[in-house]
Amino acid sequence: MTGQVVLRADGLSKSFGGLQAVQNVTFDHYDGEILAVIGPNGAGKTTLLNLLSGVYRPSSGRLELLGQDVTHSPMEHRCHAGLGRAFQVVRPFPEMTVHENVTVGALFGQPGTSLPQARERAYDLLERTGLADQAARAAHELTLLQDKRMEIARALATGPRVLLLDEVMAGLRPGEAAEAVELIRGVRADGVSVLFIEHIMPVVRDLADRVVVMDQGQVIAHGTYREVTAHPQVVAAYLGTEEGLGA
């Protein structure tokens, strides 16, 4: 895939004491692309996402967002520069309404936004994510699927050009996961590039334009779903069977 690079990781590494959690990870993420990062448990995927979003600072390497060096930038700077993130474990403000939760995202992500503007943007995103009818409910009353939708709406409220998703399908039933897939496709259609971590291989197959595969902190393959699932190192990392990859 070619085009504008919206996110570029160049030799990103992260050590915790003697543990090398991420080692020399390099990839480009292109404008309009849905990019998946997969790998067995302990492969370093979440650590990588934490490096991209600014939770961790890298031990070495460089990160560019929309051509800007953000290697050592704090999370809020990356957010204001166009990077959003939805977390696997949703942590809303439980006593606030769904609408208020998303309004907070709009206020935080776009400095200078007035409260009326943030409220309007939040409601637009609740409509976009199928939660408009839940706007006045307390966040703690939502179902798991609704929680996931609210988390994505809150991340989108920050106005990202690139959205990071950390296993947003976790805990969803197959029908719910299919709804979430369509929601993510809609996010891309609205002009937001998506990078996601996922364990459910049929979701990766159906959603990703390209796939980056990690094992033991390193990238071992990248390409289309068909290309990476035929790669010998990838097959070995997933219990030695193509069936284990959902190929």
Side-chain angles (χ1 to χ4, degrees), residues 42-229:
K45 304 182 300 297
T46 296
T47 300
L48 174 63
L49 216 63
N50 286 334
L51 290 172
L52 300 180
S53 62
V55 175
Y56 299 148
R57 302 291 176 87
S59 303
S60 61
R62 177 183 170 91
L63 180 68
E64 291 183 6
L65 172 64
L66 300 171
Q68 178 182 355
D69 185 353
V70 295
T71 308
H72 301 292
S73 298
M75 293 174 62
E76 61 270 22
H77 176 86
R78 298 181 197 206
C79 179
H80 298 160
L83 186 68
R85 179 174 178 179
F87 291 83
Q88 177 183 358
V89 179
V90 181
R91 294 185 176 90
F93 300 103
E95 301 303 323
M96 292 171 61
T97 67
V98 174
H99 183 239
E100 288 168 340
N101 268 272
V102 180
T103 299
V104 169
L107 288 169
F108 175 79
Q110 301 182 50
T113 300
S114 69
L115 183 56
Q117 288 173 327
R119 286 173 171 162
E120 182 178 1
R121 176 166 176 77
Y123 192 77
D124 288 345
L125 285 165
L126 290 178
E127 286 191 323
R128 178 71 189 83
T129 54
L131 284 176
D133 60 344
Q134 306 296 321
R137 293 184 68 185
H140 69 81
E141 297 176 348
L142 297 184
T143 67
L144 179 60
L145 177 59
Q146 290 169 339
D147 261 341
K148 304 277 188 178
R149 287 179 177 272
M150 184 182 68
E151 179 72 357
I152 291 173
R154 190 163 58 172
L156 289 173
T158 66
R161 284 281 306 280
V162 181
L163 179 63
L164 308 179
L165 302 176
D166 188 359
E167 296 195 47
V168 294
M169 307 294 176
L172 299 182
R173 296 188 293 270
E176 294 172 331
E179 290 183 41
V181 165
E182 290 307 311
L183 175 58
I184 294 167
R185 285 178 176 152
V187 168
R188 188 253 296 273
D190 288 340
V192 180
S193 305
V194 178
L195 184 153
F196 72 104
I197 291 175
E198 189 51 66
H199 279 295
I200 304 172
M201 297 310 295
V203 168
V204 175
R205 178 193 62 209
D206 294 343
L207 192 54
D209 298 309
R210 287 189 306 129
V211 182
V212 172
V213 188
M214 294 184 66
D215 189 29
Q216 298 182 5
Q218 302 181 59
V219 173
I220 60 172
H222 59 84
T224 65
Y225 181 86
R226 183 177 295 276
E227 288 168 345
V228 300
T229 54

